[in-house]
Amino acid sequence: MQHAVFSMKYLDDIDSDEICKQLNITASNYWVLIHRAKTQLRSCLEKNWFTK
């Protein structure tokens, strides 16, 4: 579900209200999913892309 929300938001540039309607989720759940997706992406980039 995180992948779908993140892709729709940042790749397809769909409005958050429309994403919530299409996926039948609440606005609160939407923001939780976006936050988790960003956190996982950050972790992946730090681990595999950037050197510390």
Side-chain angles (χ1 to χ4, degrees), residues 10-45:
Y10 294 106
L11 300 179
D12 300 331
D13 199 31
I14 300 174
D15 184 49
S16 59
D17 291 333
E18 183 61 29
I19 294 170
C20 290
K21 287 178 188 175
Q22 287 184 20
L23 299 178
N24 196 28
I25 59 174
T26 64
S28 296
N29 193 9
Y30 165 83
W31 288 111
V32 167
L33 292 168
I34 286 291
H35 173 73
R36 289 179 181 167
K38 286 181 178 180
T39 302
Q40 287 181 343
L41 179 59
R42 180 182 299 125
S43 176
C44 179
L45 288 173

